[in-house]
Amino acid sequence: MTRTTQQATALIVDDEPDIRELLDITLSRMGIAVQTASDLVSARDILAKAPPQLCLTDMSLPDGNGIDLVAWIQQTCPQTPVAVITAYGSMETAIEALKAGAFDFVSKPVELPRLRELIESALRLPDEEPDNDPTSEPSLLLGESDGIRRLRAQTRKVARSQAPVFISGESGSGKELVARMIHLQGPRRDAPFVAVNCGAIPSELMESEFFGHRKGSFTGATDHKAGLFQQADGGTLFLDEIADLPLAMQVKLLRAIQEKSVRPVGGEKEIPVDIRILSATHRSLAEQVQIGSFRQDLFYRINVIELAVPPLRERPDDIALLARHILERLARDYECEPVSLSDAARRQLQQHTFPGNVRELENILERAFTLCEDDRIDVDDLQMGDTPAVPKPGPQPVINTGTSAEHEAPSGNSVPPIPEDGELDLEHYLETVERQAIEKALEATKWNRTAAARKLGISFRALRYKLKKLGLD
């Protein structure tokens, strides 16, 4: 159940009567029942009797500070989100409040549109923190190991905040899945989740990709384009492999995060954006700061809360559960009968160190899924040994090298020639060969898939998989 403005209550904590009155009027006009307190003692008394659905507190109070109240709320009534009102430009104080557990912060002088935005976001939080929230897609973080249980609990907790989260972990360990879990369990779950691999964007296009551009701002800019920040407006922007950003782009990113606005390339005005930043990399950001390849100020801004994703080798007992889930998904995706692992195959997987983590497990199982017979994956199907697996007998396509007549394919079964300079897109080339061989086998058997699979020397499941993958289904 989510809070609504019709039923919401709020506590305002500030020692300045004028500020309390301004906030009281603003929240009352939003349909929120308001209580006020001028110090920590009276605020704690109100919170202890009947925790409201939102708390706004000034940082400076006569008998303490707002961070003290944030910490007390975290211990006493953690379901109440608390936002801290900070002095203008006090980013260090704001980050300290977020680390203590504050939902968000707003700077003085308080901008009412920004305040309303914050309140509406806080009121979209669920009233309770269930173990299995159906909106969180728990299958994204499967496992019963201590590390995964702890990570799931951490994602539920940080999802209730607007603090930037840095997700560390090895390649293939599931950092983007953690980011999606945070998004899906938070107040922004109905808004966009935009993921970008920072290392995959050419440096000369980065500013345009992140902030957008105006028509005619550079050669090729034939129309206005919204950047990633604008695409994620209202939702979450996940910056994967953030350590790959060049220093010049880090400066611009830091400004956009702090100012909550962007200026498109060729634009004259700043465009406000409301996003939550999540980031990740497989590198050590602290080491990148030390060697000077990552800005320290940006590091502190994005690393308010850090979550570490455990590698697969540290949770071998989760492998059987993950494998079953992956195989069930493959069966659904390729409309095949589900398959199971033999005990020997399961043991081999659990003994493997998985340097590529969950991504490697997925690749191994996808290959085994197409090779296995009788709906059962055995050790040989996994192909995890040092020696390559011997291909199963069956007709092999004849590759035309284009160099002599004796290498030509039989008429009607031609494949693209290999260029004389030897340069080619191997993946596309092999896909073309495979497509032609399958189409010929289907034509020869009048599209009897069982007979075509037999003719190709592969299992029926392997043929179904390839048909789906190649778009021939």
Side-chain angles (χ1 to χ4, degrees), residues 188-442:
R188 298 175 180 266
R189 58 185 171 274
D190 296 325
F193 175 88
V194 177
V196 55
N197 186 329
C198 298
I201 305 176
S203 57
E204 64 273 14
L205 297 178
M206 276 190 174
E207 188 172 358
S208 171
E209 287 296 312
F210 277 101
F211 309 136
H213 63 251
R214 311 305 292 171
K215 180 179 178 179
S217 57
F218 55 85
T219 304
T222 57
D223 208 345
H224 297 326
K225 177 186 175 182
L228 294 166
F229 272 72
Q230 292 166 273
Q231 293 171 31
D233 192 28
T236 302
L237 179 60
F238 174 54
L239 304 174
D240 198 7
E241 298 304 341
I242 194 171
D244 291 342
L245 286 176
L247 286 168
M249 191 61 206
Q250 291 176 30
V251 175
K252 295 172 182 177
L253 177 63
L254 176 63
R255 185 182 183 283
I257 293 173
Q258 292 188 161
E259 300 298 324
K260 299 182 184 292
S261 64
V262 297
R263 176 176 292 181
V265 176
E268 297 180 355
K269 295 181 179 179
E270 295 278 337
I271 299 175
V273 288
D274 168 32
I275 60 172
R276 184 179 189 184
I277 294 288
L278 306 178
S279 58
T281 184
H282 70 280
R283 304 186 196 179
S284 167
L285 270 190
E287 290 180 4
Q288 299 301 307
V289 170
Q290 287 182 345
I291 64 177
S293 64
F294 200 84
R295 292 181 61 94
Q296 187 176 51
D297 48 5
L298 179 58
F299 171 72
Y300 286 132
R301 191 67 185 89
I302 65 171
N303 195 28
V304 173
I305 299 172
E306 181 173 352
L307 298 184
V309 184
L312 189 54
R313 64 179 173 274
E314 292 183 1
R315 49 190 189 106
D317 291 342
D318 288 340
I319 289 175
L321 178 62
L322 286 167
R324 185 166 64 251
H325 172 74
I326 292 167
L327 292 173
E328 288 173 353
R329 189 191 69 216
L330 288 170
R332 288 194 305 271
D333 290 348
Y334 296 106
E335 299 174 3
C336 296
E337 292 297 317
V339 302
S340 60
L341 287 170
S342 69
D343 291 340
R346 187 180 298 107
R347 284 194 297 271
Q348 179 157 2
L349 288 173
Q350 289 176 324
Q351 291 166 4
H352 187 55
T353 57
F354 284 104
N357 291 290
V358 179
R359 187 179 298 135
E360 181 183 357
L361 175 62
E362 290 175 334
N363 291 339
I364 289 171
L365 291 176
E366 185 168 359
R367 180 175 62 235
F369 180 85
T370 67
L371 294 175
C372 70
E373 301 285 352
D374 301 323
D375 299 333
R376 192 170 182 81
I377 294 176
D378 213 338
V379 171
D380 292 341
D381 300 315
L382 296 175
Q383 294 189 4
M384 294 172 64
D386 295 330
T387 56
V390 178
K392 296 185 179 181
Q396 300 296 316
V398 180
I399 297 179
N400 180 7
T401 63
T403 56
S404 67
E406 67 184 50
H407 291 296
E408 291 180 3
S411 177
N413 191 29
S414 62
V415 296
I418 296 177
E420 292 185 4
D421 59 7
E423 293 186 5
L424 81 164
D425 183 339
L426 182 60
E427 185 175 350
H428 176 71
Y429 180 84
L430 294 176
E431 183 179 295
T432 302
V433 172
E434 190 172 51
R435 180 187 296 273
Q436 291 183 358
I438 290 173
E439 287 176 341
K440 186 171 180 62
L442 288 168

Side-chain angles (χ1 to χ4, degrees), residues 10-14 19-20 23-24 27 34-38 56:
L11 171 64
I12 296 168
V13 187
D14 199 302
I19 297 294
R20 289 201 304 271
L23 297 177
D24 190 343
L27 272 66
V34 178
Q35 289 181 285
T36 62
S38 59
L56 292 172

Side-chain angles (χ1 to χ4, degrees), residues 101-257:
F103 168 77
D104 207 343
F105 68 93
V106 61
S107 298
K108 291 181 178 178
V110 177
E111 297 179 1
L112 295 184
R114 160 74 179 133
L115 178 64
R116 293 190 189 98
E117 183 181 277
L118 182 154
I119 293 168
E120 289 170 355
S121 183
L123 295 177
R124 286 195 296 268
L125 285 169
D127 287 324
E128 299 176 356
E129 192 175 321
D131 291 333
N132 292 300
D133 182 355
T135 65
S136 69
E137 293 188 16
S139 61
L140 292 180
L141 282 179
L142 280 176
E144 296 303 323
S145 61
D146 290 343
I148 285 296
R149 285 177 178 271
R150 183 165 55 251
L151 183 60
R152 280 200 296 262
Q154 289 172 334
T155 61
R156 285 196 299 270
K157 184 175 181 180
V158 302
R160 300 179 62 82
S161 165
Q162 294 302 291
V165 178
F166 173 67
I167 305 166
S168 61
E170 298 176 5
S171 293
S173 58
K175 297 186 291 296
E176 183 172 338
L177 297 185
V178 173
R180 288 185 182 275
M181 285 283 287
I182 294 171
H183 172 76
L184 289 168
Q185 295 179 109
R188 298 175 180 266
R189 58 185 171 274
D190 296 325
F193 175 88
V194 177
V196 55
N197 186 329
C198 298
I201 305 176
S203 57
E204 64 273 14
L205 297 178
M206 276 190 174
E207 188 172 358
S208 171
E209 287 296 312
F210 277 101
F211 309 136
H213 63 251
R214 311 305 292 171
K215 180 179 178 179
S217 57
F218 55 85
T219 304
T222 57
D223 208 345
H224 297 326
K225 177 186 175 182
L228 294 166
F229 272 72
Q230 292 166 273
Q231 293 171 31
D233 192 28
T236 302
L237 179 60
F238 174 54
L239 304 174
D240 198 7
E241 298 304 341
I242 194 171
D244 291 342
L245 286 176
L247 286 168
M249 191 61 206
Q250 291 176 30
V251 175
K252 295 172 182 177
L253 177 63
L254 176 63
R255 185 182 183 283
I257 293 173

